[in-house]
Coordinates of all heavy atoms in Angstrom, one line a residue:
T169 N 22.8 9.0 5.0 CA 21.5 9.4 4.5 C 21.0 10.5 5.3 O 21.4 10.9 6.3 CB 20.5 8.2 4.5 OG1 19.5 8.4 3.5 CG2 19.9 8.0 5.8
L170 N 19.9 11.2 4.7 CA 19.3 12.4 5.3 C 17.9 12.1 5.6 O 17.2 11.3 4.9 CB 19.5 13.6 4.5 CG 20.9 14.0 4.0 CD1 20.9 15.1 2.9 CD2 21.7 14.5 5.3
F171 N 17.3 12.9 6.5 CA 15.9 12.8 6.8 C 15.4 14.1 7.4 O 16.1 14.9 8.0 CB 15.5 11.6 7.6 CG 15.9 11.7 9.1 CD1 15.1 12.2 10.0 CD2 17.2 11.2 9.5 CE1 15.5 12.3 11.4 CE2 17.6 11.3 10.8 CZ 16.7 11.9 11.8
L172 N 14.1 14.3 7.2 CA 13.4 15.5 7.8 C 12.6 15.1 9.0 O 12.0 14.0 9.1 CB 12.5 16.2 6.8 CG 13.1 16.8 5.5 CD1 12.1 17.3 4.6 CD2 14.1 17.9 5.9
S173 N 12.5 16.0 10.0 CA 11.8 15.7 11.2 C 11.0 17.0 11.6 O 11.6 18.2 11.4 CB 12.7 15.2 12.3 OG 11.9 15.1 13.5
P174 N 9.8 16.9 12.2 CA 9.2 18.1 12.7 C 9.8 18.6 14.0 O 9.4 19.7 14.5 CB 7.7 17.6 13.0 CG 7.9 16.1 13.2 CD 9.0 15.7 12.3
I175 N 10.7 17.8 14.6 CA 11.3 18.3 15.8 C 12.9 18.4 15.6 O 13.4 17.8 14.8 CB 11.0 17.4 17.0 CG1 11.7 16.0 16.9 CG2 9.5 17.2 17.2 CD1 11.7 15.2 18.1
K176 N 13.5 19.0 16.6 CA 15.0 19.0 16.6 C 15.4 17.9 17.5 O 15.0 17.8 18.6 CB 15.5 20.3 17.2 CG 15.3 21.5 16.3 CD 16.1 22.8 16.8 CE 15.6 23.3 18.1 NZ 16.3 24.5 18.5
H177 N 16.3 17.1 16.9 CA 16.9 15.9 17.7 C 18.1 16.4 18.6 O 18.5 15.7 19.5 CB 17.3 14.8 16.8 CG 16.2 13.9 16.3 ND1 15.7 12.9 17.1 CD2 15.5 14.0 15.2 CE1 14.7 12.4 16.4 NE2 14.6 13.0 15.3
S178 N 18.5 17.7 18.3 CA 19.6 18.2 19.1 C 19.6 19.7 18.9 O 19.1 20.3 18.0 CB 20.9 17.6 18.5 OG 22.1 18.3 19.1
E179 N 20.2 20.4 19.9 CA 20.3 21.8 19.9 C 21.5 22.3 19.0 O 21.7 23.4 18.7 CB 20.5 22.4 21.3 CG 19.2 22.3 22.2 CD 18.0 22.9 21.6 OE1 18.2 24.0 20.9 OE2 16.9 22.4 21.6
N180 N 22.4 21.3 18.6 CA 23.5 21.5 17.8 C 23.0 21.9 16.4 O 22.3 21.1 15.8 CB 24.4 20.3 17.7 CG 25.7 20.5 16.9 OD1 25.8 21.3 16.1 ND2 26.7 19.8 17.3
G181 N 23.4 23.1 15.9 CA 22.9 23.6 14.6 C 23.4 22.7 13.4 O 22.8 22.9 12.3
K182 N 24.4 21.9 13.5 CA 24.8 21.0 12.5 C 24.1 19.7 12.5 O 24.2 18.9 11.5 CB 26.4 20.8 12.6 CG 27.2 22.0 12.0 CD 26.9 22.3 10.6 CE 27.8 23.5 10.1 NZ 29.2 23.1 9.9
V183 N 23.5 19.3 13.7 CA 22.8 18.1 13.8 C 21.4 18.3 13.3 O 20.8 17.5 12.5 CB 22.8 17.5 15.2 CG1 21.9 16.3 15.3 CG2 24.2 17.2 15.7
S184 N 20.7 19.4 13.7 CA 19.4 19.7 13.4 C 19.4 21.1 12.6 O 19.6 22.1 13.3 CB 18.4 19.8 14.6 OG 18.4 18.6 15.3
I185 N 19.2 21.0 11.3 CA 19.3 22.2 10.5 C 17.9 22.6 10.1 O 17.2 21.9 9.5 CB 20.2 21.9 9.2 CG1 21.5 21.5 9.7 CG2 20.3 23.2 8.4 CD1 22.4 21.0 8.5
A186 N 17.5 23.9 10.4 CA 16.2 24.3 10.1 C 16.0 24.6 8.5 O 16.8 25.2 7.9 CB 15.8 25.7 10.8
V187 N 15.0 23.9 7.9 CA 14.7 24.1 6.5 C 13.2 24.3 6.4 O 12.4 24.2 7.4 CB 15.1 22.8 5.7 CG1 16.6 22.6 5.8 CG2 14.4 21.6 6.2
Y188 N 12.7 24.7 5.2 CA 11.3 24.9 4.9 C 10.9 24.0 3.8 O 11.4 24.0 2.7 CB 11.0 26.4 4.6 CG 11.2 27.2 5.8 CD1 12.4 27.8 6.2 CD2 10.1 27.5 6.6 CE1 12.5 28.6 7.3 CE2 10.1 28.3 7.8 CZ 11.4 28.8 8.1 OH 11.4 29.6 9.2
H189 N 9.8 23.3 4.0 CA 9.2 22.4 3.0 C 7.7 22.6 3.1 O 7.1 22.4 4.1 CB 9.6 20.9 3.3 CG 9.0 19.9 2.3 ND1 7.8 19.3 2.5 CD2 9.6 19.5 1.1 CE1 7.6 18.5 1.4 NE2 8.6 18.7 0.6
N190 N 7.1 22.9 1.9 CA 5.7 23.2 1.8 C 5.2 24.1 2.8 O 4.2 23.9 3.4 CB 4.9 21.8 1.9 CG 5.1 20.9 0.6 OD1 5.5 21.4 -0.4 ND2 4.7 19.7 0.8
D191 N 6.0 25.2 3.0 CA 5.7 26.3 3.9 C 5.6 25.8 5.4 O 5.0 26.5 6.2 CB 4.4 26.9 3.5 CG 4.4 27.6 2.2 OD1 5.4 28.1 1.8 OD2 3.4 27.5 1.4
R192 N 6.3 24.7 5.7 CA 6.4 24.3 7.0 C 7.9 24.3 7.4 O 8.7 23.9 6.6 CB 5.9 22.9 7.2 CG 4.4 22.7 7.0 CD 4.1 21.3 7.2 NE 4.4 20.7 8.4 CZ 4.7 19.4 8.7 NH1 4.7 18.6 7.7 NH2 5.0 19.1 9.9
Q193 N 8.2 24.7 8.7 CA 9.6 24.6 9.2 C 9.8 23.2 9.7 O 9.1 22.7 10.5 CB 9.8 25.5 10.2 CG 11.3 25.4 10.8 CD 11.7 26.5 11.8 OE1 11.8 27.6 11.4 NE2 11.9 26.1 13.0
L194 N 10.8 22.5 9.1 CA 11.2 21.2 9.6 C 12.6 21.2 9.9 O 13.3 22.3 9.7 CB 10.9 20.2 8.4 CG 9.4 20.0 8.0 CD1 9.3 19.1 6.8 CD2 8.6 19.4 9.2

Side-chain angles (χ1 to χ4, degrees):
T169 202
L170 303 169
F171 69 93
L172 296 179
S173 176
I175 71 165
K176 292 193 293 184
H177 282 276
S178 171
E179 293 301 321
N180 185 331
K182 284 295 184 74
V183 175
S184 300
I185 304 171
V187 298
Y188 287 88
H189 181 268
N190 289 344
D191 299 322
R192 294 178 57 206
Q193 178 171 295
L194 299 172

